[in-house]
Amino acid sequence: MFARAGAAGTLLVGALVGATVTAGPAGAAASGPCDIYASGGTPCVAAHSTTRALYASYNGSLYQVRRASDNATQNIGLLSAGGYANAAAQDSFCAGTSCVITVIYDQSGRGNNLTQAPAGSAAGGPDNLASATAAPTTVAGHKAYGVFVAPGTGYRNNHTSGIATGDNPEGMYAVLDGTHYNGGCCFDYGNAETDSRDDGNGTMEAIYFGNIKVWGYGSGNGPWIMADLENGLFSGVNQHLNSGDPTINYRYTTAIIKGGPNHWAIRGGNAQSGNLSTFYDGVRPNVSGYNPMKKQGAIILGTGGDNSKGAQGTFYEGVMTSGYPTDATENTVQANITSMNYGTGGTSTGTTGALHAVGAGRCLDVPNSSTTSGTQLQIWDCSGQANQTWTRTSSGQLTVYSGSTQLCLDAYNNQTTAGTKVVTWPCNGGSNQQWQFNSNGTVSSTLSGLCLDVTGAATANGTLAELWTCNGQSNQQWNLS
């Protein structure tokens, strides 16, 4: 059971049809990731993004949202063929209410759309749907939204076209928020069972991102890019440590898994700049059941193959291919991704979103959505709810809620000593309510110079926030996005 998860979405009814690839007008991008894969002989058979077109000619819908006020739905498309999401259309449609993402359309033309994940053999019913506004971002300078997966959230398609089965080769990449993760099972994107059950070793092949250590793991404390191959998350050839699979937590992270007959690889890099690195490239795991593979060809996002849904993460774009892509093809795709200049809008004034605790992989949270002045803040699984939505104002305040219930992040009683509680309080313009965002990711009090700190570098839900002497460690690093 996962406390404080968002309200469960209802099952979609009726056919949901994505748009197909069509010729775009002059001025469209010269190529997208799926054009590059096609040129390399490994075409996309699924292409999902809520931020941009993944083909230069695509001019259909990216995703669909449903608003809470009347349950009406609207498809969100592009500003132009081959371009970027029309976030203004979503903002207009969802104004004055909340929205969830109901469909993530497949741009490949194969109809491999992702919708609400049904119940599986893991405990719990159908998954929740993601808040449509919990993961704001920019791509090529244009506002867009990612898919914010809080625990209990997930998408799936068990009836696909063209996805690899058996031991057939495939590749996949995803652009993820490298600071939003946990040790739950399992934040995945990729190939899974068509019955939402655990059908045994080798029946999955998906990208996993997080820091669970029950099965394989990499160096450092995580998170790691690994492969979920069912009944095992693998960082290399065995179910233990692969020191060559490093902790990788770029704010925007490119994650790649690819596999074929007795051969698979893990690659990754910074989705904002630089090249890909290879973290494993070799034979299938030395555990029975993974050679040959028995892939079934469903697609999952945010959950495990049996619908294990305790994980969290944020997804911006990803594809699956037919055939095993070459490193050279993937390197060209990475160059395309970095050219998009993914960004958070920075920590500029007026930015609104979740304040992520980088070290814990959780969010700064007002306990139980309290509006009582003096409530001490904590960290909790990111949910996209109002009690985790912070706005940085032009005067350096951090506010939560709005209207008559608006409160400010406050250094309790104007105290300036290490260990000072961080609470909510009515906004008054005092220096104990003014905060500086620093280049190393810390957030410091203008009054005392102390840093916003997760007490004791703990990572558990309910850990309290306080002020402490700045040390630059991960429990003092925050990301407002």
Side-chain angles (χ1 to χ4, degrees), residues 384-403:
Q385 303 298 318
N387 66 317
Q388 293 185 356
T389 302
W390 299 88
T391 297
R392 185 183 179 199
T393 71
S394 59
S395 60
Q397 294 171 318
L398 281 164
T399 65
V400 65
Y401 309 131
S402 60

Side-chain angles (χ1 to χ4, degrees), residues 392-399 408-411 414 427-437 443-450 452 467:
R392 185 183 179 199
T393 71
S394 59
S395 60
Q397 294 171 318
L398 281 164
T399 65
C408 271
L409 185 73
D410 180 285
N414 289 287
C427 299
N428 56 35
S431 59
N432 68 317
Q433 294 184 353
Q434 294 175 355
W435 305 91
Q436 176 68 44
F437 282 73
V443 177
S444 56
S445 167
T446 299
L447 175 65
S448 65
L450 298 172
L452 183 62
L467 295 182

Side-chain angles (χ1 to χ4, degrees), residues 9-10 12 16-17 49-51 61-77 85-95 97-105 114-116 129-135 144-148 155:
T10 57
L12 293 172
L16 296 167
V17 181
S49 177
T50 56
T51 64
S61 297
L62 297 180
Y63 60 104
Q64 181 188 84
V65 296
R66 184 179 70 223
R67 62 189 177 200
S69 58
D70 59 2
N71 286 327
T73 61
Q74 178 165 309
N75 289 339
I76 305 301
N86 186 354
Q90 174 183 309
D91 290 341
S92 176
F93 182 73
C94 300
T97 186
S98 61
C99 280
V100 292
I101 297 172
T102 48
V103 188
I104 306 169
Y105 289 115
L114 296 175
T115 57
Q116 183 182 31
L129 295 169
S131 164
T133 57
Y145 294 98
V147 183
F148 187 96
Y155 295 81

Side-chain angles (χ1 to χ4, degrees), residues 45-433:
V45 289
H48 304 109
S49 177
T50 56
T51 64
R52 65 163 176 147
L54 301 177
Y55 293 84
S57 61
Y58 187 75
N59 199 22
S61 297
L62 297 180
Y63 60 104
Q64 181 188 84
V65 296
R66 184 179 70 223
R67 62 189 177 200
S69 58
D70 59 2
N71 286 327
T73 61
Q74 178 165 309
N75 289 339
I76 305 301
L78 297 159
L79 296 171
S80 62
Y84 313 103
N86 186 354
Q90 174 183 309
D91 290 341
S92 176
F93 182 73
C94 300
T97 186
S98 61
C99 280
V100 292
I101 297 172
T102 48
V103 188
I104 306 169
Y105 289 115
D106 172 24
Q107 300 179 30
S108 77
R110 289 181 172 270
N112 291 324
N113 306 326
L114 296 175
T115 57
Q116 183 182 31
S121 57
D127 291 8
N128 301 329
L129 295 169
S131 164
T133 57
T137 188
T138 57
V139 56
H142 298 274
K143 183 179 180 181
Y145 294 98
V147 183
F148 187 96
V149 174
T153 302
Y155 295 81
R156 195 175 191 119
N157 186 330
N158 283 341
H159 305 284
T160 61
S161 170
I163 306 301
T165 59
D167 208 28
N168 290 322
E170 66 179 348
M172 61 197 76
Y173 86 80
V175 175
L176 309 170
D177 180 345
T179 68
H180 184 203
Y181 61 91
N182 68 5
C185 182
C186 293
F187 182 71
D188 291 347
Y189 173 71
N191 194 324
E193 297 95 332
T194 55
D195 58 3
S196 300
R197 305 183 67 83
D198 179 348
D199 290 332
N201 295 5
T203 54
M204 289 182 61
E205 185 167 64
I207 296 167
Y208 164 82
F209 187 74
N211 67 344
I212 193 170
K213 295 182 74 171
V214 173
W215 299 282
Y217 53 96
S219 61
N221 295 320
W224 308 286
I225 302 167
M226 297 192 286
D228 190 340
L229 305 179
E230 191 54 278
N231 295 325
L233 299 175
F234 288 90
S235 61
V237 73
N238 59 45
Q239 284 189 314
H240 304 291
L241 168 68
N242 170 18
S243 59
D245 190 15
T247 291
I248 180 170
N249 57 0
Y250 299 111
R251 174 59 179 83
Y252 294 90
T253 296
T254 305
I256 290 176
I257 296 292
K258 55 184 175 180
N262 202 26
H263 183 205
W264 71 287
I266 305 172
R267 307 188 77 204
N270 186 341
Q272 292 179 297
S273 64
N275 300 319
L276 295 171
S277 298
T278 300
F279 305 140
Y280 177 78
D281 188 345
V283 297
R284 290 290 185 180
N286 56 8
V287 180
S288 64
Y290 299 101
N291 182 34
M293 293 286 286
K294 299 174 283 292
K295 294 175 280 193
Q296 296 187 12
I299 305 173
I300 54 174
L301 171 60
T303 70
D306 61 356
N307 201 40
S308 297
K309 52 185 179 180
Q312 63 187 28
T314 299
F315 173 93
Y316 300 102
E317 63 177 74
V319 311
M320 299 175 67
T321 72
S322 175
Y324 192 97
T326 65
D327 286 1
T329 295
E330 292 166 342
N331 293 344
T332 305
V333 169
Q334 168 71 355
N336 176 273
I337 293 169
T338 60
S339 75
M340 292 297 101
N341 296 314
Y342 268 103
T344 62
T347 52
S348 59
T349 56
T351 294
T352 297
L355 194 56
H356 297 97
V358 173
R362 304 186 192 278
C363 283
L364 189 67
D365 175 283
V366 183
N368 301 311
S369 297
S370 173
T371 57
T372 301
S373 299
T375 300
Q376 187 171 4
L377 300 175
Q378 63 181 8
I379 58 169
W380 201 273
D381 289 331
C382 299
S383 65
Q385 303 298 318
N387 66 317
Q388 293 185 356
T389 302
W390 299 88
T391 297
R392 185 183 179 199
T393 71
S394 59
S395 60
Q397 294 171 318
L398 281 164
T399 65
V400 65
Y401 309 131
S402 60
S404 62
T405 60
Q406 185 181 73
L407 296 167
C408 271
L409 185 73
D410 180 285
Y412 180 70
N413 201 28
N414 289 287
Q415 293 176 9
T416 59
T417 57
T420 295
K421 294 191 295 185
V422 178
V423 301
T424 55
W425 200 265
C427 299
N428 56 35
S431 59
N432 68 317
Q433 294 184 353

